[in-house]
Amino acid sequence: MEEPMMLDKTRVPVIVGVGQVTDTTSPPESARSPLQMMLDAARLAAADSGAGEALWGALDSITVIRLFADTVPRFASPFGKLVNPPWSVARRLGAQHATDLVYPPQGGDSPQVLLARACERIARGESQAALIVGGEALRTELAAKRAGLALQWGEDAPTLPDGLGGVKDMYTAEEEAHGMRSAIAMYALIGQALRGAAGQTVDAYREASARLFAGFAAVAKANPLATRRAGYSAEAISTLTQDNPYVGFPFTKLMTASAFIDQSAAFIVVSEARADELGVPQDRRVYLHGSAAAHDEWFVSERPRLDESPAMRLCAQHALAQAGRSLADVSHLDIYSCFPSAVQIACKELGLSPEDPRGLTVTGGLPYFGGPGNNYVTHAIAEMVQRVRGQPGSYGLVMANGGLVTKEAVGIYSTMRPEKSFVRESASLIQDQIDRMPKQELDHEPRGEAVIETYAVLHGKSGPERCVLFGKLVSTGARFLANTPGDAQTLATMQSSEGLGLRGQVSREGDINVFVPAS
């Protein structure tokens, strides 16, 4: 039991401060830019640590979670670009010693991954203090566009940040050609696959998804930082109304991440030695006891099963093992919740009940707390830090998800001081297992009799617009991507009748495959 006291304090990473900002009311002409939101969250984190602005001189590393404007083309901002976001943050905070300036690739997993990186650098003696921050002001941006305002949110910089390898596309050209280049398309396809594996009807699945998310909405109702605090019932979440239409059948609007919000969060991780120097109280200190990250087969259409995530399962196992804990030892959970299918597949892989009495979120989740682009998990970590502080000695698990149930990362948190040095497990320990798994065979120009494997109907403002599907050829078993005919009757039928296992004929028409259901 004496080993913890023998650890070199200069190499023991500890989270000392967290800060969160939510703005649901400021008019666009006076609301904050993403940069201003991030600065405010960082200052709250410094104050939370008890060290205040003395932290700025100690920082040697600043990471800014990638903005949605630099991630998704349709979210590109008309109000200018931050050329080097961490440099802009460092400049305004007076963090003149911060030379590790990181702007990582996209993904909701990135806050957890970058925290593990910061801890690893401290454990190796490469760093003593790091700030990780992110934020979005998409609510303000949308309001400003509608008001015809010309805001100035961009800033040039003398250097570019470290992009850690840069952005990698999440979609194949064939997925894009068939209208699947969206999270709603892919998560709906995954949801339908989960439904099929569970033997549920469409109505039963939608109602189960609504019950699941009603629990999230209840947590958001009690969270003053949440953006939707109505405490929606399962009935309200599942019932189709003008304000709650399908966005991608079988999911309604209230089952999807709420992106047009103004939110920012930050956390600060330092060495124990630096925490001592700065006078950080013991009751502020939270440790990352275990972490793991990996990705499933990168492209959704190449995964042999859409209702499974080996990366979720293996990352959770490895993070818990590193922490020396089991899932039963965990008191607090936050499961990434951009769509019901993200939570459902996590429950399946972790062996969690959707009605787990611990609850599956500490914030209220992306549909109700808010879905600030790639930065939600920074909020989840900040809230988890507060939870374990409030129950000293307890453990919390954060499961982060990036892409399309693609990139997974898990962190285990506690106020308990670790008994061993922090080691960031090599990603290859998990990734090699996943990479050895077989890919799904695809037929790019399918013809003949086929059955639907999974499907979704994508909606626009005026209703259903396109049915996207994965199918299997009866003759070979090969998977193909396709659309149904786009007429109103076919689209309506795909929503009113069971489509899983539906037979029909598939053929190539121009650049896409078309599946015509048997009459």
Side-chain angles (χ1 to χ4, degrees), residues 13 20 22 68 117 162 208 312 319 329 338 408 417 428 472:
Q20 300 184 71
T22 296
F68 236 30
R117 176 184 182 270
D162 183 351
M312 283 185 176
D329 298 323
C338 50
E408 310 303 329
R417 191 172 189 262
S428 64
K472 291 287 186 72

Side-chain angles (χ1 to χ4, degrees), residues 9-43:
K9 285 192 168 188
T10 65
R11 298 195 177 205
V12 177
V14 58
I15 302 168
V16 296
V18 296
Q20 300 184 71
V21 175
T22 296
D23 185 352
T24 61
T25 59
S26 295
E29 59 271 16
S30 60
R32 288 166 283 189
S33 68
L35 177 58
Q36 290 169 325
M37 296 279 290
M38 289 188 280
L39 294 169
D40 286 349
R43 290 174 179 131

Side-chain angles (χ1 to χ4, degrees), residues 34-343:
L35 177 58
Q36 290 169 325
M37 296 279 290
M38 289 188 280
L39 294 169
D40 286 349
R43 290 174 179 131
L44 287 173
D48 177 66
S49 73
E53 294 190 1
L55 273 164
W56 306 147
L59 290 177
D60 51 57
S61 175
I62 295 178
T63 293
V64 170
I65 303 303
R66 183 170 290 272
L67 289 158
F68 236 30
D70 297 331
T71 301
V72 181
R74 75 183 184 91
F75 282 96
S77 176
F79 302 140
K81 177 182 175 63
L82 294 172
V83 171
N84 188 336
W87 178 86
S88 294
V89 169
R91 177 169 170 258
R92 283 164 177 77
L93 293 180
Q96 65 271 21
H97 301 301
T99 56
D100 180 52
L101 302 177
V102 177
Y103 194 48
Q106 82 277 23
D109 61 310
S110 57
Q112 178 61 53
V113 170
L114 271 295
L115 170 58
R117 176 184 182 270
C119 290
E120 178 184 46
R121 295 184 76 246
I122 290 171
R124 288 180 171 178
E126 299 168 356
S127 171
Q128 285 292 289
L131 166 68
I132 298 175
V133 62
E136 299 286 349
L138 293 173
R139 178 193 69 89
T140 288
E141 181 176 301
L142 181 61
K145 289 177 184 176
R146 289 173 173 172
L149 300 179
L151 304 179
Q152 298 298 323
W153 287 356
E155 182 170 69
D156 205 350
T159 60
L160 294 177
D162 183 351
L164 300 182
V167 174
K168 182 179 178 182
D169 204 345
M170 307 301 298
Y171 303 90
T172 68
E174 190 168 7
E175 290 168 352
E176 184 172 3
H178 285 89
M180 300 175 187
R181 191 183 179 86
S182 70
I184 182 58
M186 291 304 194
Y187 279 95
L189 289 167
I190 291 167
Q192 292 277 54
L194 284 161
R195 175 174 76 81
Q200 293 171 305
T201 65
V202 171
D203 287 344
Y205 177 70
R206 188 175 66 252
E207 290 164 5
S209 297
R211 288 194 302 273
L212 172 70
F213 269 11
F216 284 67
V219 173
K221 182 179 182 180
N223 186 346
L225 290 168
T227 59
R228 285 176 170 168
R229 300 188 62 200
Y232 301 99
S233 67
E235 182 180 7
I237 294 168
S238 65
T239 301
L240 294 172
T241 67
Q242 185 175 355
D243 293 329
N244 188 39
Y246 282 130
V247 291
F249 172 85
F251 295 147
T252 65
K253 183 178 180 180
L254 285 175
M255 294 179 184
T256 65
S258 178
F260 290 96
I261 46 79
D262 288 10
Q263 286 184 317
S264 180
F267 51 82
I268 298 167
V269 57
V270 303
S271 69
E272 277 192 330
R274 188 54 50 88
D276 290 345
E277 291 172 8
L278 293 166
V280 175
Q282 291 295 324
D283 65 3
R284 300 286 86 190
R285 303 186 186 195
V286 171
Y287 299 87
L288 180 64
H289 281 250
S291 66
H295 66 80
D296 281 313
E297 181 60 47
W298 195 260
F299 298 116
V300 175
S301 60
E302 295 178 357
R303 296 174 193 166
R305 291 188 64 112
L306 274 66
D307 63 316
E308 296 181 353
S309 172
M312 283 185 176
R313 180 175 67 256
L314 293 169
C315 284
Q317 290 173 355
H318 278 250
L320 286 164
Q322 190 179 45
R325 293 293 180 270
S326 70
L327 193 59
D329 298 323
V330 172
S331 299
H332 320 282
L333 298 162
D334 197 86
I335 307 299
Y336 200 87
S337 54
C338 50
F339 296 90
S341 50
V343 182

